[in-house]
Amino acid sequence: MRPSILNPLFASAASLPGVGPKTGKLLDRLLAEGGKEARVLDLLFHLPVGVLDRRNRPKITEAPLNTVVVIEGTIIEHRPPRAKGPYRVLIEDETGDVLLVFFLANHQWIEKSLPVGARRWVSGKLELWDGHRQMVHPDRILDAEGLAKLAPVEPIYPLTEGLSSRLLSKAIEGALARLPALPEWRPAPALPSFTEALRRVHRPQTPEEIAPDAPARKGLAFDEMLAGQLALGLMRARARRAPGRANAGDGRLVDKILNTLPFTPTDAQKDAFAEIRADLASEARMLRLLQGDVGSGKTVVALLAMASCVEAGRQAALMAPTEILARQHFAALGAFAGAAGLRLALLTGRDKGSGRAKTLEALASGAIDIIIGTHALFQESVAFHDLGLAVVDEQHRFGVHQRLALGEKGERADILVMTATPIPRSLVLTYFGDMDVSLIREKPVGRKPIETRALPAERIGELVERLRGALETGAQAFWVCPLVEESELLDVAAAEERFADLRQFFGDEVGLVHGRMKGRDKDAAMAAFAGGETKILVATTVIEVGVDVPKASIMVIEHAERFGLAQLHQLRGRVGRGAAKSSCILLYKGPLGETAKARIEILRESEDGFRIAEEDLRLRGEGEVLGSKQSGLPGFRLADPAAHGDLLAEARRQAQGIVAENPRLEGENGEALRLLLNIFERAEAIRLLGAG
Ligand code: ADP
Ligand code: MG
């Protein structure tokens, strides 16, 4: 239960004064994911990305053009439009004059706000028109009284279509007014408190106050990191307190699988499996992260781990982030597992009715050894006979809560999480706390290097011609459409358009798959491509994680400049798995910035995911702040790992101190820390405390 003092923060943003249903919808679109409602807290966490400096008040002739300035002047004359055309008002100071220009404006309002002979302050951008200075639609017209109230600097926020910065600022002001007085939770407060910091970043007095290294920004980042580290620390401590069980058997099933595999595992795979098996065999509960580059063969390692668990008489679960992946795992592992006599089943959100009921029954009675599925697996109605191991694939798509929730389905089940791409060491700490880590740095032998090339988007015609030639020789290609950060719907529109284009050239050989398609249609599109009926698969980034079609040897990525390095690497990893020589074409819209150039260069040079991950972080550190969607990592909302990395170590240290001294979060300070965990929605950790 959330402490009631926080209720105002979790109320919907639409409940704020001055925010009607229409603005509410826009706020939902801007601030909330997946059709959810934006809350007051989401507004407060929407940080400014810049400021309008209203202290910039030059004389008219000294004012720079095309920059927002505040001009002080006397109104000289009004020039209402003759026929069409704008209404203009001339104002001057001792250095010169400027025309204020209004299109389609209310004349009465203009006369009232700008009476001839009065002094007024107007804010806006000056430009030259026919050799004369003018300011079109000033964003402020103030008298002396209004000027006194003008904020010296005004925060600029990311917006969404239809939402004006005025409306948003008003909503944020309303949200600030709802901020309750909160007790200090930080063990060693040195930075502005949470509430104080929020006020400062939304009402900056200087541009410096919103910079990442400003005390207020650091305070917020610290709180977010402290909440994360504390939640991880508490869960980890609980896992330690409650011993696990030995979940590994005699090796007979593992041996059978090894005998049926069409390849020999690499040494790296063997080592990783040995580490995992040792964890499984021990009485301590396993919390292990398996990091391996794309294509390094993590899935087989997971299968061996699950087989070990089944040998011990228990069940295992493998959770994938998408329906496509769950099905693919089920099909791929089914072949090996069947030969060893393992009973496999699939459970996704698409299973309904009697089929689903039957699966659930078999799971509860122990008639299923290994279940593969999506997040449908941790729904309440899913009960295991005896879950020993939960494997979470491509885990960055899941929150900590979800990972743990699956583990809770068993009696202290061991947990293995696998990453889609390597994560820089410094970030592993952020997201996984002190989990044990296994690395697979080596790829299966026989993988051919992928030729990576960048091509300006204008030359797409050439690309299509070359593609035609390649398809004639039997090649298949993925065609990934631009990522549209703001909206999945736009993503889909872009993919549909490209699909239609390519159909004109290639007819029925083109398939399409995107996130908004019905499950069965997605399957059909994937199956047609995997079976070779379609030769080109146009896709949104839904194919990003894990899809395995070894015959595909060409990867085209449109608007490559919009993707993060790790994500490009991940996409590229979809090819280069079969016998044919593979290539990756990065179509970009120029001119490229320095960072985008550097990114493409690194990709051309290297196929080492670990190196790419480090470079990605370094580049982002140089100012290119990527959203979570682009970096492929779960986003911090307030902290910027690149700018606030050093705070993380401190947050972690303090979290460890708390976990050691007050593991049940008792007393006054404990109460305050519970507020912190609630604010950053880590309440799951609190629930586990209770279950302890
Ligand atoms: P990822 O680590 O990206 O999840 P997968 O587990 O999907 O990679 O493996 C990619 C492909 O490589 C699969 O087709 C898998 O069967 C194959 N594979 C795995 N291990 C080996 C190996 N040791 N030798 C050859 N192929 C392998
Ligand atoms: Mg995988």
Side-chain angles (χ1 to χ4, degrees):
M1 266 276 282
R2 176 186 304 136
S4 58
I5 185 176
L6 298 179
N7 287 348
L9 297 181
F10 286 90
S12 89
S15 73
L16 290 167
V19 179
K22 197 165 147 241
T23 309
K25 285 253 155 52
L26 293 170
L27 292 177
D28 293 346
R29 190 164 84 206
L30 179 69
L31 302 171
E33 280 185 354
K36 291 210 194 93
E37 264 200 345
R39 302 155 309 173
V40 171
L41 191 70
D42 299 317
L43 270 168
L44 293 172
F45 283 0
H46 191 58
L47 301 185
V49 288
V51 293
L52 266 183
D53 195 342
R54 304 266 184 210
R55 298 167 308 172
N56 200 358
R57 295 180 193 169
K59 294 289 167 212
I60 288 175
T61 51
E62 286 152 19
L65 297 177
N66 303 316
T67 309
V68 174
V69 290
V70 176
I71 296 286
E72 175 185 356
T74 307
I75 289 98
I76 303 301
E77 71 174 9
H78 281 234
R79 298 180 190 161
R82 270 187 223 114
K84 281 193 187 133
Y87 193 117
R88 290 182 290 188
V89 178
L90 187 70
I91 70 168
E92 69 169 28
D93 67 7
E94 64 271 26
T95 68
D97 58 20
V98 52
L99 276 170
L100 308 180
V101 180
F102 301 88
F103 293 95
L104 300 172
N106 176 331
H107 295 190
Q108 266 175 325
W109 172 78
I110 296 177
E111 279 157 24
K112 213 172 114 226
S113 1
L114 294 162
V116 172
R119 290 192 89 59
R120 288 290 183 268
W121 287 262
V122 294
S123 164
K125 288 181 187 171
L126 290 192
E127 56 190 34
L128 283 183
W129 178 256
D130 245 358
H132 197 273
R133 267 180 298 276
Q134 68 171 29
M135 181 187 282
V136 179
H137 288 245
D139 59 57
R140 292 281 192 286
I141 298 175
L142 304 163
D143 54 15
E145 204 180 317
L147 182 75
K149 281 195 237 145
L150 183 69
V153 295
E154 189 176 300
I156 299 172
Y157 297 99
L159 296 169
T160 187
E161 204 182 308
L163 184 69
S164 71
S165 58
R166 265 228 213 181
L167 270 175
L168 180 62
S169 297
K170 225 165 111 197
I172 288 177
E173 269 305 316
L176 285 172
R178 295 264 178 104
L179 255 183
L182 297 171
E184 180 60 79
W185 46 65
R186 295 183 207 147
L191 296 163
S193 74
F194 178 71
T195 46
E196 170 63 18
L198 281 175
R199 288 194 191 98
R200 279 205 214 169
V201 294
H202 290 297
R203 294 174 186 150
Q205 300 297 306
T206 64
E208 290 74 36
E209 276 186 305
I210 65 150
D213 61 352
R217 286 287 309 273
K218 280 162 81 171
L220 294 175
F222 182 80
D223 281 338
E224 183 168 42
M225 289 170 161
L226 181 64
Q229 291 300 308
L230 184 58
L232 286 170
L234 290 171
M235 292 188 289
R236 178 77 179 169
R238 173 183 139 83
R240 284 223 185 85
R241 265 203 307 279
R245 301 181 295 170
N247 282 326
D250 53 13
R252 61 182 202 285
L253 295 173
V254 168
D255 286 344
K256 273 192 196 156
I257 292 173
L258 287 174
N259 284 333
T260 53
L261 285 182
F263 48 76
T264 323
T266 60
D267 287 343
Q269 284 172 312
K270 284 185 201 153
D271 291 348
F273 173 58
E275 285 171 359
I276 293 165
R277 191 171 183 289
D279 276 5
L280 289 171
S282 93
E283 296 276 328
R285 187 177 182 190
M286 174 170 79
L287 268 181
R288 186 173 280 277
L289 173 68
L290 177 59
Q291 284 226 67
D293 203 352
V294 47
S296 61
K298 295 181 288 289
T299 322
V300 171
V301 176
L303 175 64
L304 296 175
M306 293 193 289
S308 300
C309 177
V310 176
E311 286 166 8
R314 310 231 157 82
Q315 293 168 298
L318 171 60
M319 181 164 77
T322 64
E323 179 98 32
I324 290 182
L325 262 185
R327 273 166 206 280
Q328 181 184 295
H329 283 331
F330 182 67
L333 298 186
F336 310 140
L342 288 166
R343 295 163 300 175
L344 237 60
L346 180 71
L347 183 71
T348 72
R350 229 193 289 164
D351 296 301
K352 304 245 156 69
S354 64
R356 180 180 141 86
K358 250 168 105 185
T359 305
L360 291 184
E361 206 180 289
L363 200 58
S365 71
I368 291 172
D369 297 317
I370 295 179
I371 185 117
I372 296 174
T374 54
H375 41 269
L377 283 181
F378 52 64
Q379 284 165 359
E380 224 156 288
S381 52
V382 178
F384 288 81
H385 175 62
D386 188 4
L387 180 67
L389 168 65
V391 183
V392 183
D393 190 20
E394 318 292 8
Q395 73 69 40
H396 69 246
R397 295 300 164 105
F398 299 104
V400 175
H401 311 163
Q402 293 170 312
R403 277 184 248 151
L404 269 285
L406 186 58
E408 295 299 307
K409 292 247 174 229
E411 202 184 311
R412 300 174 187 135
D414 285 320
I415 296 180
L416 177 67
V417 301
M418 308 197 286
T419 58
T421 63
I423 299 175
R425 210 177 303 162
S426 55
L427 290 189
V428 165
L429 207 64
T430 319
Y431 295 109
F432 304 98
D434 48 359
M435 264 186 158
D436 297 307
V437 179
S438 293
L439 289 182
I440 307 185
R441 277 210 82 143
E442 178 192 3
K443 285 197 191 155
V445 289
R447 295 274 157 85
K448 301 209 175 62
I450 302 167
E451 191 190 313
T452 302
R453 250 177 310 157
L455 196 71
E458 300 81 64
R459 288 169 58 186
I460 192 168
E462 262 170 67
L463 173 64
V464 168
E465 273 317 306
R466 265 189 275 161
L467 209 49
R468 189 195 300 281
L471 296 197
E472 274 162 17
T473 69
Q476 282 181 269
F478 286 109
W479 188 299
V480 178
C481 282
L483 179 82
V484 184
E485 178 79 22
E486 301 80 44
S487 128
E488 193 191 350
L489 272 180
L490 292 181
D491 264 5
V492 169
E496 277 169 348
E497 200 179 312
R498 181 58 71 216
F499 171 66
D501 286 350
L502 289 173
R503 276 227 147 184
Q504 299 196 337
F505 287 93
F506 299 105
D508 291 347
E509 300 204 310
V510 190
L512 172 69
V513 62
H514 61 64
R516 287 285 170 106
M517 267 160 73
K518 285 222 189 70
R520 306 219 174 268
D521 298 340
K522 263 193 242 180
D523 288 352
M526 289 305 300
F529 186 63
E533 285 156 51
T534 52
K535 298 283 164 46
I536 301 179
L537 185 64
V538 177
T540 54
T541 45
V542 291
I543 64 148
E544 178 200 342
V545 277
V547 171
D548 193 27
V549 180
K551 277 187 299 179
S553 62
I554 301 170
M555 168 64 66
V556 179
I557 305 175
E558 276 195 67
H559 275 291
E561 77 283 356
R562 291 192 195 165
F563 292 89
L565 246 191
Q567 205 177 17
L568 289 172
H569 175 63
Q570 177 72 26
L571 286 168
R572 178 174 62 177
R574 302 296 120 228
V575 298
R577 297 178 165 215
K581 188 169 164 354
S582 296
S583 54
C584 173
I585 296 102
L586 305 172
L587 278 178
Y588 64 87
K589 190 119 199 175
L592 291 179
E594 284 306 310
T595 313
K597 261 190 219 156
R599 260 199 222 134
I600 288 178
E601 203 37 51
I602 292 161
L603 274 182
R604 286 169 50 96
E605 242 168 58
S606 175
E607 276 183 53
D608 177 355
F610 286 87
R611 182 183 156 212
I612 289 173
E614 297 290 346
E615 294 285 345
D616 195 19
L617 187 66
R618 193 180 60 76
L619 286 180
R620 278 187 283 151
E622 285 170 13
E624 182 98 345
V625 182
L626 299 180
S628 57
K629 191 167 172 187
Q630 284 178 319
S631 63
L633 283 171
F636 278 114
R637 306 180 70 183
L638 304 177
D640 170 356
H644 300 128
D646 49 336
L647 287 177
L648 179 63
E650 182 58 18
R652 184 173 149 74
R653 210 180 52 73
Q654 297 195 12
Q656 281 169 341
I658 295 166
V659 173
E661 282 161 28
N662 188 4
R664 298 198 166 266
L665 302 187
E666 286 154 348
E668 212 172 299
N669 184 243
E671 291 290 313
L673 287 164
R674 283 165 192 255
L675 293 178
L676 171 72
L677 290 173
N678 270 289
I679 287 172
F680 287 97
E681 296 172 78
R682 305 283 194 165
E684 195 66 18
I686 301 177
R687 199 183 59 71
L688 291 180
L689 287 185

